[in-house]
Amino acid sequence: MPELPDVETFKQYLDHTALHHTIDKVSVEAPEMLGELSTRAFQRRLTGHTLERSRRHGKYLFAGLEDGDWLVFHFGMTGALKYLEGEEQAPRYTRILLSFKDGSRLAYVNTRKLGKVVMTDDVDEFLHQHDLGPDALQLDLEQFRSQARAHRGSVKTWLMNQEILAGIGNIYSDEILFQAHLHPEHKVESLSDQEIKTLYRKMHEVLDKTIAVHADPSAMPRRYLIPHRKKGEHCPVCKTPITQFKISGRSGYYCPQCQPS
DNA sequence: CTCCATGTTTAGAA
DNA sequence: CTTCTAAACATGGA
């Protein structure tokens, strides 16, 4: 799930549920998700503190405490948040569970444990340490164009490079390229100014529209590729069979009719 | 059993 | 130095 629109949806969810709650207890079911940070240090930095604000950058979600410290969520491929009230049971694969003073809880759920949950006292430094470029919704057309001019290789790979712009992954890069009528293996260095502009506009449009439906594929516009992004499916626009291809070990999908090379 | 899956990192080859 | 590929991480679902 978690690319920019999914993580933005998690942010809004967190804002509407766990924010302004004081942490009473921290259960770490999967200590390996904390990386180098010890369970004790993690618990010490959270217990007794209050979640006061949140920030998202690319695929990362930051929850700020009243003391200036930050809880950092990264979701890998299968991570999500679930807020629990009353006797509601924590879902299967809950890896971290924050319990609040009022009895409600926030579960960090992650089937495959590919993400991370850590702490940082400086978000900007954290972003720098992780080589993250500007958030995909923050950079302007000028930066977008000059980054395109500074790289070689396929446009899909370029869009997914978190050092260039943060937030776009395998699924949403396919959607953006589909909406922009660009073949995923089109060389980024050979994009015209006009194509770059279209790509930039479509990137915003796709991110905005998918955030508006909380990244739910079943609620996305009719002419979106994402709900048809599997083998044997057909293009929602022209009905041509969708092509699957491999790009550095991952599967990409496109319509050979709407996105000619 | 096999292959595939939304992410990131790393090693090695061009 | 840049770019690309495969593999690894951990775990399920088809």
Side-chain angles (χ1 to χ4, degrees), chain A residues 104-115:
Chain A
S104 66
R105 289 150 290 150
L106 181 70
Y108 169 83
V109 187
N110 199 331
T111 312
R112 299 165 69 182
K113 301 170 180 172
L114 294 178

Side-chain angles (χ1 to χ4, degrees), chain A residues 46-242:
Chain A
L46 289 170
T47 309
H49 295 286
T50 304
L51 301 179
E52 274 201 339
R53 67 196 108 247
S54 73
R55 265 182 76 175
R56 181 194 58 71
H57 188 103
K59 303 172 187 174
Y60 287 83
L61 177 59
F62 302 86
L65 307 176
E66 89 295 339
D67 65 352
D69 217 359
W70 294 85
L71 171 61
V72 185
F73 294 105
H74 190 265
F75 298 94
M77 299 210 277
T78 55
L81 296 177
K82 172 79 175 160
Y83 184 71
L84 307 156
E85 286 181 294
E87 297 307 299
E88 221 177 328
Q89 258 201 346
R92 200 174 176 193
Y93 309 119
T94 293
R95 307 303 188 185
I96 312 276
L97 186 65
L98 306 183
S99 300
F100 302 111
K101 283 231 161 90
D102 71 344
S104 66
R105 289 150 290 150
L106 181 70
Y108 169 83
V109 187
N110 199 331
T111 312
R112 299 165 69 182
K113 301 170 180 172
L114 294 178
K116 279 272 184 299
V117 179
V118 295
M119 301 290 303
T120 184
D121 57 10
D122 186 333
V123 171
D124 291 329
E125 192 189 310
F126 180 93
L127 300 178
H128 183 253
Q129 283 168 350
H130 291 257
D131 291 320
L132 288 173
D135 185 78
L137 286 175
Q138 311 246 339
L139 91 172
D140 61 31
L141 176 58
E142 289 317 306
Q143 298 172 281
F144 189 81
R145 180 188 293 119
S146 62
Q147 283 291 356
R149 293 283 176 251
H151 289 264
R152 272 150 284 118
S154 81
V155 62
K156 177 172 166 71
T157 302
W158 178 78
L159 269 179
M160 292 194 296
N161 185 340
Q162 303 300 300
E163 299 182 34
I164 295 168
L165 69 172
I168 295 170
N170 200 24
I171 290 182
Y172 284 89
S173 59
D174 279 352
E175 187 66 63
I176 292 162
L177 292 166
F178 177 70
Q179 296 301 328
H181 304 304
L182 282 173
H183 191 285
E185 288 175 298
H186 196 102
K187 299 292 176 205
V188 69
E189 64 268 32
S190 66
L191 290 174
S192 67
D193 269 9
Q194 189 50 243
E195 286 172 323
I196 290 172
K197 198 170 162 184
T198 302
L199 184 60
Y200 179 80
R201 273 198 300 111
K202 291 300 180 181
M203 174 179 79
H204 268 269
E205 189 184 293
V206 166
L207 296 176
D208 289 347
K209 289 193 175 185
T210 54
I211 288 168
V213 298
H214 310 300
D216 174 2
S218 71
M220 288 180 190
R222 254 198 311 284
R223 296 154 85 95
Y224 266 38
L225 175 67
I226 288 175
H228 308 279
R229 202 182 161 283
K230 34 182 121 89
K231 255 195 180 139
E233 291 267 343
H234 296 260
C235 172
V237 173
C238 74
K239 304 303 174 200
T240 301
I242 294 298

